[in-house]
Amino acid sequence: MDRFDAPSKEQLEIYRRMTPAQRWQEARRLYWTLRRHKAAFLHQQHPDWTEAAVAAAVRRSFLHARS
């Protein structure tokens, strides 16, 4: 594991103090932020694509995402 992948002790303590609802809210916020970033990246790479084409590409990307 890369040193940037591991959360710090302070981060872990913050996560431990969060309620499950707060953790779920943060996960959802991160998910939608990543989708917006992916869309912006695709717009930059393919300026001729329509909004619908970008949205479809984002959906496909997240549908087949692996961790």
Side-chain angles (χ1 to χ4, degrees), residues 6-49:
S8 68
K9 290 179 182 182
E10 293 83 9
Q11 287 172 314
L12 288 174
E13 186 56 37
I14 290 169
Y15 294 140
R16 284 187 186 111
R17 280 188 261 134
M18 293 171 83
T19 66
Q22 289 171 318
R23 287 194 299 268
W24 175 247
Q25 182 178 354
E26 286 302 307
R28 284 180 42 133
R29 188 182 60 79
L30 178 60
Y31 173 81
W32 289 105
T33 298
L34 291 173
R35 285 185 70 118
R36 284 191 303 275
H37 282 255
K38 181 68 171 185
F41 172 76
L42 289 171
H43 273 296
Q44 180 187 22
Q45 295 296 309
H46 307 281
D48 56 320
W49 284 12

Side-chain angles (χ1 to χ4, degrees), residues 1-8 11 15:
M1 184 181 278
D2 190 338
R3 68 183 176 96
F4 295 109
D5 292 336
S8 68
Q11 287 172 314
Y15 294 140

